[in-house]
Amino acid sequence: MQIQSVPKPHLCLVCGSSFRKSGHLKTHMFTHTGEKPYSCDVCSKSFTVSCNLQRHIRTHTGEKPYRCEVCGCSFGQTSNFQRHKRIHTGEKPYSCETCGYAFSDNAALGKHKATHTGVRPHSCEICGTSFMSKYDLKKHMRLHTGEKPYSCDVCSSSFAMSSYLTLHMRTHTGEKPYSCDMCGSAFSVKSSLKGHMQIHSGEKPFTCGECGSSFRRKFALTLHTRTHTGEKPFSCKVCGTAFSKPSKLKLHVRIHTGEKPYSCDVCGKSFVTSSKLKKHKQSHTGEKPYSCTDCGSLFANSYSLKKHKQIHTGEKRFSCEECGSAFRHNFALKQHKRTHAAGKYFPCELCGLLFTTAYNLKQHIRTHTGEKPYSCGVCDSSFKQKSHLKVHMRCHT
């Protein structure tokens, strides 16, 4: 039986494409004119087709009308919902003609095929980086433009990709859809569950070629490798200081911004990190859970106990490569090294005195300003140096 072709009477005079309906031709013409008549009232982003606008609006409203009956996950787009259902069914309808490898969605197959050809046809005009798909290039361009079209309705945080917004929303909802079958622990991210499962199996598949250390996650191996290479890819835009971890850069930036997000419920004092707040709270409680097995001295934290034990062992692990001097603490070695660096001094602009570290200069300046930033939460006494406050607290404890 011969299949009759459907007539397409509506012809595009620009490229020759034909369509069955005049509405389809009208929509097609937007690809030539660049017109995008459907605009979002929230962010003013424009679209050529009304259905694309409707899908986009859900990124603002958070509406997810498509719900999985198996696990309860919800989705804003039918395409994402269809891909998700294949997780449960195991269906992989898209196969590579070259190697036979199967995929659950066509986009993943398209990316995979490019690994055989090595072709990356989509290039960034700004930095020259090439990509296998136009969608990957579009995401990359947001690094240059700073565009973050996906916004959180709860805290107004914005994200470059919808997947980042989905993960972020779980910090508000507390949703943890990925559960461990062995111990019941739940996670908000699938990769976290995968890493957790290796705790039960003991598997550490990522090995350092330099020293043989093994890790459960590839990211942990990447961070470890930088201890050998000295690579510090994360730089501060204000002062240029470089770091091996993004978390360290995040903490450093707070020096410039003055942000101290962790506050004490007792005295209201704020801290840059949660660990420093935890240590501070022990000054109110007087708690010292760490004891020295040699002399019985008590300490508020494990780091102080570790430093104290070096008094008994006489251990000086940190040595100067230039003169051989040894020190118990790394910060003492760093201060010592500055004595070898000729001309690297920090001068006081008020009296002209020179200091080997910026920290010492900062403390000295307080002799001119009278600033006393370290306050006692018990009796309101204030001190110029943190060590003076520490000595004072012994009067109360």
Side-chain angles (χ1 to χ4, degrees):
M1 179 179 177
Q2 187 177 3
I3 300 175
Q4 294 182 347
S5 60
V6 179
K8 296 181 179 181
H10 303 282
L11 181 68
C12 173
L13 300 177
V14 179
C15 66
S17 300
S18 58
F19 301 89
R20 291 195 304 271
K21 297 180 180 180
S22 60
H24 295 170
L25 173 60
K26 184 179 178 181
T27 301
H28 165 78
M29 289 304 297
F30 294 147
T31 62
H32 298 300
T33 63
E35 184 184 358
K36 295 182 178 181
Y38 303 97
S39 298
C40 174
D41 296 332
V42 180
C43 66
S44 300
K45 192 170 183 179
S46 299
F47 302 87
T48 56
V49 187
S50 61
C51 60
N52 290 344
L53 172 62
Q54 295 302 318
R55 283 198 295 264
H56 166 78
I57 287 175
R58 291 175 189 147
T59 64
H60 298 301
T61 63
E63 182 189 4
K64 295 180 179 181
Y66 307 102
R67 186 177 179 83
C68 176
E69 297 178 355
V70 180
C71 65
C73 291
S74 299
F75 300 88
Q77 298 182 25
T78 53
S79 57
N80 293 339
F81 180 42
Q82 294 301 325
R83 281 199 298 268
H84 168 79
K85 287 198 292 187
R86 291 172 190 148
I87 295 174
H88 302 300
T89 62
E91 181 188 6
K92 294 183 178 181
Y94 303 96
S95 300
C96 176
E97 298 172 354
T98 306
C99 65
Y101 207 84
F103 299 88
S104 58
D105 66 272
N106 194 33
L109 172 61
K111 287 184 179 181
H112 168 78
K113 282 184 175 181
T115 62
H116 295 301
T117 62
V119 177
R120 292 173 176 261
H122 306 281
S123 298
C124 173
E125 296 179 354
I126 299 176
C127 66
T129 307
S130 298
F131 299 90
M132 295 178 182
S133 70
K134 191 175 181 179
Y135 178 68
D136 288 339
L137 173 60
K138 184 179 179 180
K139 290 192 296 183
H140 165 80
M141 289 304 296
R142 291 172 185 158
L143 296 175
H144 299 299
T145 62
E147 182 190 7
K148 295 182 178 181
Y150 304 99
S151 301
C152 173
D153 296 330
V154 180
C155 67
S156 300
S157 298
S158 298
F159 302 89
M161 292 195 285
S162 59
S163 58
Y164 292 167
L165 174 61
T166 301
L167 294 179
H168 167 78
M169 288 304 297
R170 290 171 185 162
T171 64
H172 298 301
T173 62
E175 181 189 6
K176 293 182 178 181
Y178 305 100
S179 300
C180 174
D181 296 331
M182 299 184 71
C183 66
S185 298
F187 302 89
S188 59
V189 187
K190 189 176 182 179
S191 59
S192 297
L193 171 61
K194 187 176 179 180
H196 166 81
M197 291 303 294
Q198 292 169 348
I199 296 174
H200 298 298
S201 65
E203 181 187 6
K204 293 184 178 181
F206 303 100
T207 304
C208 175
E210 191 77 23
C211 66
S213 299
S214 297
F215 302 89
R216 288 197 297 269
R217 297 187 181 185
K218 187 177 181 180
F219 179 71
L221 172 61
T222 301
L223 294 179
H224 166 79
T225 302
R226 290 172 187 156
T227 63
H228 299 300
T229 63
E231 181 190 7
K232 295 181 178 180
F234 305 99
S235 299
C236 174
K237 295 180 180 179
V238 180
C239 65
T241 306
F243 300 89
S244 60
K245 299 179 181 179
S247 57
K248 288 187 176 181
L249 172 60
K250 186 177 180 180
L251 291 177
H252 166 81
V253 168
R254 290 174 183 164
I255 296 174
H256 301 298
T257 62
E259 182 190 6
K260 294 182 178 181
Y262 304 96
S263 300
C264 176
D265 298 333
V266 180
C267 65
K269 192 171 182 179
S270 299
F271 299 88
V272 174
T273 63
S274 58
S275 59
K276 288 185 177 180
L277 171 61
K278 187 177 179 180
K279 289 180 183 178
H280 164 78
K281 283 187 173 182
Q282 290 170 344
S283 67
H284 297 301
T285 62
E287 181 187 4
K288 293 184 177 181
Y290 301 92
S291 60
C292 175
T293 54
D294 293 311
C295 66
S297 298
L298 299 176
F299 299 90
N301 55 73
S302 59
Y303 179 69
S304 298
L305 172 60
K306 187 177 179 180
K307 288 197 299 183
H308 165 80
K309 281 194 170 183
Q310 292 173 354
I311 297 173
H312 299 299
T313 62
E315 181 186 10
K316 294 183 178 181
R317 297 188 296 121
F318 303 97
S319 300
C320 176
E321 296 173 356
E322 292 193 41
C323 67
S325 298
F327 302 88
R328 286 202 298 267
H329 309 302
N330 190 32
F331 75 86
L333 172 61
K334 287 182 178 180
Q335 288 182 325
H336 166 79
K337 280 185 174 181
R338 292 191 177 101
T339 62
H340 295 301
K344 291 186 179 179
Y345 294 103
F346 299 86
C348 174
E349 296 179 355
L350 298 173
C351 67
L353 284 176
L354 299 176
F355 296 87
T356 56
T357 67
Y359 178 73
N360 289 341
L361 171 61
K362 186 177 180 180
Q363 285 187 316
H364 163 77
I365 287 175
R366 291 174 187 149
T367 63
H368 298 298
T369 62
E371 181 190 6
K372 295 181 178 181
Y374 302 102
S375 302
C376 173
V378 181
C379 68
D380 296 332
S381 298
S382 297
F383 302 89
K384 295 176 182 176
Q385 296 184 26
K386 188 176 181 179
S387 58
H388 294 171
L389 171 61
K390 189 175 181 180
V391 172
H392 165 80
M393 288 305 297
R394 294 171 187 159
C395 300
H396 300 297
T397 59

